Amino acid sequence: MHLPSVASLLLTALPLTFASPTPGKGQSKGLDYYAKKAGLKYFGAATDSPGFRERAPYVEQYPKYDQIMWKSGEFGQTTPTNGQKWLFTEPEQGVFNYTEGNIVTSKARKHGMYLRCHALVWHSQLAPWVEAKQDWTKDEMRKIIVSHVTRVATAWKGQCYAWDVVNEALNEDGTYRESIFYKVLGEEYLTLSFKTAAKVDPKAKLYYNDYNLEWPSAKTEGAQRIVRLLQKNRIKIDGVGLQAHLIAEQPPTLDQHIDAIRGFAKLGVEVALTELDIRLKTPSNPTNLEQQKQAYKNVVGACVQVKGCIGVTIWDFYDPFSWVPHVFEGEGDALLWFEDWSRHPAYDGVVEALTNKTRRW
């Protein structure tokens, strides 16, 4: 992940205030155009502010990057990759910083893009002070969650199409992850987070977001359990985010994607592919690039074919800014634009999926 400077974390900036954007403003024929023609709300790309991307070989590429990101018509939606996470929005207890998040959100407004906001409560990229104390009382933890969700959601109230309220609460077997929040409050931390977000930003769609939900599994069933838990308690939940961090050489099938998406849609919530990238062994070659193309085509095609799936966000679009090589040694080239700005064959796979006439269920 690309982290900001220490100095930027110490800034306490006031939130920007402005009206919600008008999606689609100034768009030309790119992926977002084809997505809307296919019945989706958007095709988008997450992005960071330059403060997160200070990597010398690529600084001179910002004008080209910005042209594709904001002006090409390829994207009609964005998500701040890092700037709204707990580590950066509340680095010290009660000290809030909206600087990095404001950079991306203001650009989304300027260019008329849908804004997905990410993420309010997550065990990772969590400010150290939250985990430094292991003996929080239940009342203390409730106050911490309510304060954080209230302040951060208020900062961007009325600007977010959706909030990822709780992120990655599950283990692979569908049980709850033993985060500091779960250890203290159990399931209550989920209900409290969603209840607070709904109160603060009632017009935003509220999502549970996680990875490895793109095919039927115990983890998918666990996410369905979370949806039912909130519904049973009459707490607002509008959607489930399928992060879709996939592997080109081991992709789910089209039918598996469709089954997973339909499983959530049947619960009455919408679905979005929220962090799509498909990594492969590097250096890439014609074989795994073709596998990647088909994998992108399958997952985007499944979203197109199920009415409950409303949009697709790739997790940035330019390979040098991907998180993948920093986490998975020997893997990368996970996005749609190579380092030299040429497009992956997978770009054409996405277009094929978006222009497929298969009906939406």
Side-chain angles (χ1 to χ4, degrees):
M1 294 291 185
H2 309 293
L3 304 180
S5 64
V6 174
S8 72
L9 291 179
L10 298 178
L11 293 174
T12 303
L14 295 174
L16 298 177
T17 56
F18 42 65
S20 298
T22 302
K25 178 182 176 183
Q27 299 297 297
S28 60
K29 286 189 178 181
L31 296 176
D32 188 58
Y33 169 84
Y34 293 114
K36 290 185 170 79
K37 290 285 284 185
L40 305 184
K41 287 184 179 293
Y42 58 78
F43 194 100
T47 191
D48 264 332
S49 68
F52 286 96
R53 295 197 307 252
E54 292 175 351
R55 300 170 63 209
Y58 304 110
V59 170
E60 69 275 11
Q61 304 287 12
Y62 287 164
K64 178 72 171 178
Y65 180 94
D66 287 344
Q67 192 278 327
I68 295 174
M69 180 68 222
W70 304 111
K71 301 176 182 178
S72 67
E74 295 286 0
F75 309 118
Q77 175 273 334
T78 194
T79 304
T81 310
N82 282 298
Q84 294 175 317
K85 293 173 180 174
W86 198 311
L87 175 61
F88 311 118
T89 53
E90 194 181 1
E92 300 175 40
Q93 188 170 7
V95 177
F96 290 86
N97 168 26
Y98 307 112
T99 305
E100 297 287 353
N102 277 340
I103 293 171
V104 175
T105 56
S106 63
K107 286 189 174 183
R109 175 187 178 272
K110 178 180 178 181
H111 296 285
M113 292 188 177
Y114 281 106
L115 177 68
R116 280 190 59 87
C117 293
H118 172 82
L120 290 171
V121 180
W122 186 30
H123 72 279
S124 186
Q125 290 184 272
L126 184 61
W129 66 265
V130 183
E131 293 183 294
K133 179 179 176 181
Q134 291 293 310
D135 60 347
W136 296 108
T137 67
K138 289 182 182 293
D139 282 344
E140 287 172 335
M141 183 57 71
R142 290 184 187 110
K143 290 177 181 177
I144 288 168
I145 291 173
V146 170
S147 172
H148 182 81
V149 172
T150 299
R151 290 287 298 272
V152 176
T154 298
W156 290 289
K157 180 179 180 179
Q159 301 174 51
C160 307
Y161 168 78
W163 266 108
D164 291 329
V165 178
V166 175
N167 201 48
E168 300 177 8
L170 297 169
N171 295 313
E172 293 306 297
D173 64 359
T175 59
Y176 286 114
R177 185 189 297 273
E178 291 285 325
S179 68
I180 186 67
F181 306 112
Y182 185 77
K183 286 177 182 177
V184 177
L185 291 177
E187 281 186 335
E188 184 189 351
Y189 97 86
L190 291 145
T191 57
L192 181 61
S193 299
F194 274 88
K195 184 184 295 184
T196 306
K199 181 178 179 180
V200 174
D201 198 359
K203 293 184 179 180
K205 301 281 189 178
L206 304 184
Y207 271 64
Y208 174 70
N209 192 55
D210 213 330
Y211 60 92
N212 290 351
L213 302 182
E214 299 80 29
W215 60 90
S217 68
K219 191 171 189 179
T220 305
E221 292 172 5
Q224 292 172 351
R225 184 184 68 244
I226 289 173
V227 174
R228 293 191 184 99
L229 168 71
L230 294 165
Q231 292 174 333
K232 180 181 178 181
N233 286 278
R234 297 185 179 181
I235 297 170
K236 178 179 176 178
I237 178 169
D238 299 289
V240 175
L242 281 56
Q243 292 183 11
H245 297 300
L246 303 175
I247 303 171
E249 295 88 351
Q250 304 171 36
T253 66
L254 174 63
D255 287 343
Q256 286 175 322
H257 287 311
I258 289 173
D259 288 345
I261 294 171
R262 292 182 75 185
F264 291 114
K266 287 178 180 178
L267 296 178
V269 293
E270 65 184 37
V271 178
L273 306 180
T274 54
E275 304 182 20
L276 174 61
D277 51 33
I278 304 180
R279 64 187 185 270
L280 44 74
K281 301 281 186 191
T282 54
S284 57
N285 58 68
T287 298
N288 61 14
L289 286 172
E290 181 59 32
Q291 291 172 320
Q292 183 186 59
K293 176 181 177 179
Q294 188 61 47
Y296 264 102
K297 183 177 179 179
N298 281 348
V299 70
V300 175
C303 185
V304 169
Q305 291 184 40
V306 183
K307 282 185 179 179
C309 194
I310 59 95
V312 178
T313 308
I314 54 176
W315 207 236
D316 216 302
F317 67 89
Y318 183 46
D319 285 336
F321 294 155
S322 172
W323 67 290
V324 169
H326 305 282
V327 177
F328 299 98
E329 185 176 355
E331 297 181 279
D333 288 354
L335 300 169
L336 297 181
W337 273 260
F338 288 111
E339 180 179 334
D340 67 358
W341 299 108
S342 64
R343 296 191 300 216
H344 286 230
Y347 180 99
D348 295 327
V350 171
V351 172
E352 289 171 16
L354 294 174
T355 54
N356 188 342
K357 301 301 182 183
T358 303
R359 68 188 179 90
R360 286 168 64 78
W361 296 333

